[in-house]
Amino acid sequence: MDFALTEEQEMIRDAAREFAQKEIAPVAAHHDETGEFPSETIAMAGQLGFMGIEVPEEYGGAGLDAVGYALVMEEISAADAAHSTIVSVNNSLYSSGILDNGSEEQKHKYVTPVATGEVVGAYALTEPQSGSDAGNIRTRAVLAADGSHYVINGKKSWITSGSVARFIVVFAKTDPEQESRGVSAFIIDTERDGFACGKTEPKLGIRASATCEIELDGYRCPVEDRLGPEGAGFKIAMGVLDAGRIGIAAQAVGIARAAYEASLDYARERKAFGEPIGSFQMIQAKIADMKTRLEAARLLTLRAAWNKNRAKAAGLRNTTEACCAKLFASEAAMFITHQAVQIHGGMGYSRELPLERYFRDAKITEIYEGTSEIQRMVIARQETGLR
Ligand code: CAA
């Protein structure tokens, strides 16, 4: 067993840290305040290979593994979680599903421009009536009589990058009589007729991630843009979430680290009753609990990332590892950012410091890509074999 990063992994982490601290951290508050999509910094991330981290070089990506992905996600998240949300959806929810299930033509046509950062990708599973119960989607895809295309109708909600994405992997029912086995996946081009964006969600945190509703109204999807076989969509969606949840765990670690490091500095500098507040036992207890949860969250996240390709090669799922990492890291991020605001007192509550933003941003990691309740349900089902 070796807990050390390789030299290459350290280089990736350092490059991501330098980019995130130099380019993203200074604009994070502006994008949080305005909700404006960070097109400029996302384009820079594309040039550095961060929009297609695990995408093989032949499809325009950086050709790294899931550990590299987790390291980059932690660094970008420590600077700004809205940026890392866009990065994570592009990498795992969008690209990994096409890489694992797409044809050669689909990989070249739909992954390459997204991995290079030329355009943005998104993933549309959730609907107004179906969030956790993902098999209950109502969006319908009907195959035309001549078999050349599907006509898709329906509404999707909470779509990260929905208003800026060029391509979106959309899940729709091709056989409504079946539950999850009647779901198929499609790659849609938002420049075609029949696609429209609905309202943008006014959110508590990650405010610049362009989360919106999308509507498909008679959208004609060529049959060659179906992803995988008919009826395989639900398993594609779940497999993608196994990859995505590692990214969200790493995002939680990054947000938590930023809050922890700020708290450590403040505990050393801020004086009360003639002493640095870090010399008081009540602050020391907070620091120790924050540090322990941060380290444990990072270990679970890197382990889930390390196991991803190993599991795949053995024909196994990485579901439990990904869910454990996301569950623990997201709850650790909530705990750590909460303590960080408390350590900073009034300054933690003020918008002059990023602490209150970390606290707001951390909350989403317990909700998207499966709530903590869903992670617990999946872990328990996997462990017991019961439903
Ligand atoms: N990999 C491959 N197959 C899987 C799988 C996985 N991880 N998980 C389940 N399956 C398969 C099952 O084996 C089963 O196969 P069979 O039909 O052959 O038996 C099939 O899928 C159905 O599985 P379940 O019976 O377990 O399905 P369920 O209806 O009980 O639901 C669930 C399972 C875990 C609750 C699932 O619905 C779920 O994960 N819900 C949460 C959805 C979610 O995370 N949504 C977030 C969307 S993305 C987002 O957040 C927005 C964004 O832009 C960031």
Side-chain angles (χ1 to χ4, degrees), residues 35-91:
E36 192 186 298
F37 187 83
S39 313
E40 221 173 285
T41 29
I42 286 297
M44 287 184 211
Q47 282 155 16
L48 290 166
F50 298 152
M51 297 305 273
I53 300 162
E54 288 180 80
V55 174
E57 288 174 22
E58 62 183 305
Y59 307 119
L64 302 175
D65 64 2
V67 172
Y69 174 50
L71 294 172
V72 174
M73 277 297 292
E74 178 180 332
E75 293 308 324
I76 295 181
S77 307
D80 180 38
H83 277 78
S84 65
T85 299
I86 300 159
V87 169
S88 95
V89 169
N90 219 65
N91 274 279

Side-chain angles (χ1 to χ4, degrees), residues 132 160 181 235 238 242 245 319 368-370 381 387:
S132 292
T160 298
R181 290 184 180 180
K235 288 185 186 175
M238 293 299 115
D242 283 349
R245 286 166 183 166
T319 305
Y368 64 9
E369 300 204 24
R381 280 184 178 181
R387 294 194 37 89

Side-chain angles (χ1 to χ4, degrees), residues 85 88-89 93 122-126 130-136 157-161 179-181 206 211 234-242 245 248 317-319 326 364 367-371 374-375 377-378 381-382 387:
T85 299
S88 95
V89 169
L93 294 194
Y123 169 96
L125 177 64
T126 303
S130 71
S132 292
D133 184 8
N136 187 33
S157 45
W158 292 102
I159 308 308
T160 298
S161 302
E179 293 183 351
S180 58
R181 290 184 180 180
I206 56 161
T211 311
F234 191 77
K235 288 185 186 175
I236 293 175
M238 293 299 115
V240 162
L241 287 168
D242 283 349
R245 286 166 183 166
I248 302 308
R317 276 166 44 179
N318 200 33
T319 305
K326 181 186 180 288
I364 192 60
I367 297 174
Y368 64 9
E369 300 204 24
T371 60
I374 289 292
Q375 308 306 315
M377 186 178 103
V378 174
R381 280 184 178 181
Q382 289 285 112
R387 294 194 37 89

Side-chain angles (χ1 to χ4, degrees), residues 1-65:
M1 188 178 289
D2 185 355
F3 287 99
L5 295 179
T6 64
E7 224 172 276
E8 191 199 16
Q9 287 164 343
E10 282 182 0
M11 275 168 56
I12 293 157
R13 182 202 57 196
D14 293 349
R17 184 172 296 176
E18 195 189 332
F19 163 67
Q21 292 305 319
K22 192 167 155 225
E23 306 292 348
I24 297 178
V27 299
H30 167 78
H31 289 285
D32 175 54
E33 187 74 36
T34 61
E36 192 186 298
F37 187 83
S39 313
E40 221 173 285
T41 29
I42 286 297
M44 287 184 211
Q47 282 155 16
L48 290 166
F50 298 152
M51 297 305 273
I53 300 162
E54 288 180 80
V55 174
E57 288 174 22
E58 62 183 305
Y59 307 119
L64 302 175
D65 64 2

